[in-house]
Amino acid sequence: MATSDVHVRLCEQEILKYDLEIKALIQDITECDGPQSKLTEINTDVKKHFHNLRLRIQDFERMAMEQDRESDKQALLSQVEGHRKQMLSNQTAWRKANLASKLSMDKMEKQTLLNGADGDVRKRKMTKEGLAQSASDITENLMSISRMMAQQVQQSEDSITTLATSSRTIQETNEEFKAMTGTIQLGRKLITKYNRRELTDKLLIFLALALFFATVLYILKKRLFPFL
């Protein structure tokens, strides 16, 4: 059990570490004002961190299900649910940060054009290839976020199924306890009944012996002392 507790604590520390690193990367995205390649690189790191975080949460859930005591299992499963909700919150913040960064870069590009930026820069910004690449990058980011959200929905459904199974198991255990209690009470009644019957049998035997000895004494009296 001690080794298991150590593994649980180490796993939770890694979950907290990934959570903090993701928050820092999201802040970098919020503050990113270009170029697009830098934003793409940061988003790649965020995806890797979310992947690792998801794996560690799954490990944490597996350790929770392996707990011997039901109270420990439920406490750890509650923490698992909290970590998943925090991951969902980070994903929401990630999407908002990407939108904010894109708006900031678009604003800077427009400002550069309005202020008469360098001709080469203006041409590069205005070419169809640059616009197409920018649109492609945005589409890729949105598709990636959509895939991650779909995965998260599936994991949430799995968690709900697991909780429902646990609930049914607890309910079945309570029913078994009720059945055992009824059996014990029935056994207690039977033992009490048998004890009473045993006392009645002893009393009848005693009365039969007393009648027997009285009969013997009466016969002896008639034989030995007929004049009495």
Side-chain angles (χ1 to χ4, degrees):
M1 179 61 70
T3 303
S4 177
D5 290 341
V6 171
H7 290 163
V8 169
R9 287 196 296 271
L10 289 175
C11 184
E12 187 171 19
Q13 288 177 2
E14 290 186 11
I15 290 174
L16 294 175
K17 184 192 73 170
Y18 285 126
D19 179 72
L20 292 175
E21 290 177 349
I22 288 172
K23 284 181 169 61
L25 289 170
I26 291 174
Q27 185 63 32
D28 291 341
I29 292 175
T30 303
E31 298 173 355
C32 179
D33 53 5
Q36 181 65 40
S37 58
K38 180 180 179 181
L39 180 61
T40 301
E41 181 180 353
I42 298 175
N43 276 312
T44 300
D45 289 337
V46 173
K47 293 175 187 177
K48 291 179 181 178
H49 279 72
F50 270 123
H51 176 72
N52 293 331
L53 176 60
R54 188 177 299 104
L55 292 178
R56 298 312 293 158
I57 291 176
Q58 290 175 354
D59 291 340
F60 196 83
E61 183 178 22
R62 176 181 54 78
M63 294 177 188
M65 298 302 297
E66 292 174 352
Q67 295 298 309
D68 296 330
R69 294 191 302 178
E70 186 66 24
S71 58
D72 293 340
K73 180 191 297 184
Q74 294 302 324
L76 292 178
L77 287 176
S78 177
Q79 294 183 39
V80 169
E81 187 63 22
H83 290 315
R84 282 184 170 148
K85 288 181 178 179
Q86 184 59 48
M87 185 171 66
L88 282 175
S89 176
N90 286 337
Q91 288 176 339
T92 301
W94 180 31
R95 292 194 300 272
K96 291 181 179 179
N98 271 286
L99 291 175
S101 178
K102 184 57 184 174
L103 289 174
S104 177
M105 286 190 290
D106 289 343
K107 183 178 179 180
M108 290 186 64
E109 289 177 3
K110 291 178 181 178
Q111 189 65 36
T112 300
L113 292 175
L114 292 174
N115 292 337
D118 181 77
D120 292 337
V121 175
R122 184 182 297 114
K123 288 180 182 180
R124 180 172 59 85
K125 297 294 182 181
M126 293 300 295
T127 58
K128 292 182 179 180
E129 182 180 355
L131 291 175
Q133 181 62 41
S134 178
S136 176
D137 292 337
I138 294 174
T139 301
E140 178 63 27
N141 288 335
L142 291 177
M143 290 179 63
S144 176
I145 294 172
S146 178
R147 286 192 297 268
M148 294 187 68
M149 289 181 65
Q151 292 175 359
Q152 187 59 42
V153 169
Q154 182 62 42
Q155 290 176 358
S156 298
E157 291 178 353
D158 294 340
S159 298
I160 292 173
T161 301
T162 301
L163 291 175
T165 302
S166 300
S167 178
R168 286 195 298 271
T169 301
I170 294 173
Q171 185 176 0
E172 290 172 358
T173 302
N174 288 334
E175 292 297 329
E176 291 178 0
F177 282 152
K178 290 180 181 178
M180 290 176 63
T181 301
T183 303
I184 292 172
Q185 291 177 349
L186 178 59
R188 184 181 300 167
K189 291 180 180 178
L190 290 174
I191 291 172
T192 303
K193 181 179 179 180
Y194 291 151
N195 287 336
R196 291 176 180 174
R197 185 171 181 179
E198 182 180 2
L199 179 60
T200 303
D201 291 344
K202 288 181 179 179
L203 181 60
L204 291 174
I205 292 172
F206 175 76
L207 292 175
L209 289 174
L211 180 60
F212 173 76
F213 285 122
T215 303
V216 171
L217 289 174
Y218 177 77
I219 294 172
L220 290 176
K221 176 183 176 183
K222 289 296 183 180
R223 294 287 183 87
L224 298 178
F225 309 100
F227 51 86
L228 293 178

